[in-house]
Amino acid sequence: MQEIIEAIKRSAIRIKEAIEFDDTGYSENTNSTGDTQLKLDIKSDLIIEEEFAKLPCIKEIVSEEKEDKTPLHVNGIYGIGYDPLDGSSLIDVNLSVGSIFGIYEGGYSGAHLKAAVYVVYGPRVELVIAMDDVKLYRLNKKGEFVFIKDIVLKEKGKLNAPGATQMGWEPRHKAMIDAIFMDGYRLRYSGGMVPDLHQILLKGGGLFSYPSTSDVPNGKLRMIFEVFPFAFVYEKAGGSAIDGKRRILDLSPSHPHDTAPCFFGSNAEIERVKKCYE
Ligand code: F6P
Ligand code: MG
């Protein structure tokens, strides 16, 4: 596992440099969801693939930017699901973006997840590793990730990050979000799930939601690359993650790009979501 973390650190440093200095324009390709890929999406994906290909312990990888799994080493143990550059369309307005990694063994359901890691490329580069607990590291001048602190969610927070197109929200969802704001919660939503979820984790708690809507009945966020890794991080930090009714980590996708509605938060907010959706 440690060598996978080291490969992620090397990838993060290379991706950070690409974000800072490369062309931010579009390529001529589309990914399996139909999004036009930025040149930076493709480059970040290649960097990660190159770094993971060096490790015999990795059996295969599955990227948000590719339709199918990429086999690496037949005798490998781990499968890694990753989103190389989440929120990449925010780079041209200079907002924070991230990379997300789920390290799986024996399959790609929530139950097969062994560790989750994400990187935030913001004013500073930060790395969060969730295994038995959740640890925050920050990149220093020498190119090393220095341990900063353990991340632990409070029972109840103050932030609300409500995703998806509001005109497509179910009335019960709208009523719940309105009620949360009426209780004094503050709106925090950049449109990048990595910085939005990172902010809630570091400010002690709150709720991030990407519900089922009339335009995307299964939500937008992909289970293997986005939803499972963050569900793992939130649970290990003492919070919860559900799809409305069920625990996210009990779900299994039938296709690598399957999505799920998702709610991540501290426990008090997730209890509110359960009451709304039961
Ligand atoms: O990967 C999808 C993504 O860019 C996430 O980072 C983000 O949380 C979400 O889309 C934002 O979607 P919307 O603009 O529909 O709220
Ligand atoms: Mg993404």
Side-chain angles (χ1 to χ4, degrees):
M1 189 61 78
Q2 197 49 39
E3 52 184 353
I4 296 178
I5 307 287
E6 294 307 317
I8 291 174
K9 289 180 184 170
R10 289 194 298 275
S11 307
I13 292 170
R14 293 175 63 190
I15 293 171
K16 160 197 144 55
E17 274 173 23
I19 292 171
E20 283 178 353
F21 303 115
D22 280 21
D23 181 356
T24 60
Y26 282 95
S27 71
E28 281 165 9
N29 308 346
T30 50
N31 65 16
S32 64
T33 321
D35 306 325
T36 309
Q37 289 172 303
L38 288 170
K39 291 178 194 165
L40 279 168
D41 288 321
I42 298 171
K43 182 158 179 178
S44 307
D45 191 25
L46 281 173
I47 289 173
I48 293 169
E49 183 172 338
E50 241 174 66
E51 294 295 345
F52 284 157
K54 295 175 188 164
L55 306 186
C57 67
I58 303 180
K59 186 175 177 180
E60 60 185 19
I61 53 178
V62 46
S63 165
E64 195 198 285
E65 297 301 331
K66 290 202 190 77
E67 177 64 30
D68 293 315
K69 297 171 190 160
T70 306
L72 289 182
H73 303 282
V74 270
N75 294 323
I77 306 165
Y78 299 108
I80 304 189
Y82 64 96
D83 184 350
L85 201 53
D86 181 71
S88 55
S89 64
L90 299 172
I91 292 175
D92 62 356
V93 291
N94 208 11
L95 286 175
S96 300
V97 294
S99 302
I100 312 166
F101 303 87
I103 299 148
Y104 298 85
E105 192 179 331
Y108 291 96
S109 73
H112 291 104
L113 198 50
K114 298 292 163 210
V117 178
Y118 68 85
V119 183
V120 193
Y121 310 98
R124 294 168 174 202
V125 178
E126 293 188 330
L127 172 78
V128 172
I129 302 176
M131 281 194 274
D132 294 330
D133 54 9
V134 185
K135 297 199 180 296
L136 171 70
Y137 299 82
R138 189 175 295 142
L139 187 64
N140 71 8
K141 268 189 189 172
K142 295 188 220 154
E144 303 154 341
F145 283 92
V146 180
F147 174 70
I148 304 293
K149 62 174 181 176
D150 287 308
I151 299 179
V152 181
L153 278 163
K154 297 193 177 118
E155 271 304 292
K156 184 173 186 290
K158 295 185 179 137
L159 306 182
N160 191 17
T165 320
Q166 295 196 21
M167 60 186 273
W169 286 358
E170 287 180 48
R172 61 179 172 174
H173 182 78
K174 182 170 172 21
M176 177 189 74
I177 296 293
D178 287 348
I180 291 175
F181 280 128
M182 290 311 288
D183 285 344
Y185 282 71
R186 287 172 185 273
L187 172 66
R188 292 290 182 271
Y189 195 75
S190 73
M193 78 178 296
V194 177
D196 288 338
L197 283 163
H198 189 58
Q199 178 165 206
I200 291 171
L201 281 166
L202 290 182
K203 301 281 187 193
L207 178 68
F208 174 99
S209 44
Y210 206 106
S212 155
T213 64
S214 51
D215 48 336
V216 283
N218 281 322
K220 171 185 184 188
L221 301 175
R222 289 116 179 138
M223 289 192 241
I224 292 179
F225 326 111
E226 297 168 319
V227 176
F228 290 157
F230 271 110
F232 192 90
V233 172
Y234 268 66
E235 284 198 1
K236 294 291 180 187
S240 311
I242 60 171
D243 71 351
K245 292 183 175 140
R246 293 165 301 177
R247 179 176 172 251
I248 297 262
L249 293 177
D250 289 335
L251 305 178
S252 298
S254 40
H255 181 274
H257 291 267
D258 280 356
T259 59
C262 50
F263 300 83
F264 306 93
S266 22
N267 294 322
E269 288 79 5
I270 294 296
E271 280 308 313
R272 287 183 90 142
V273 176
K274 281 186 190 154
K275 285 206 181 86
C276 163
Y277 278 86
E278 74 192 352

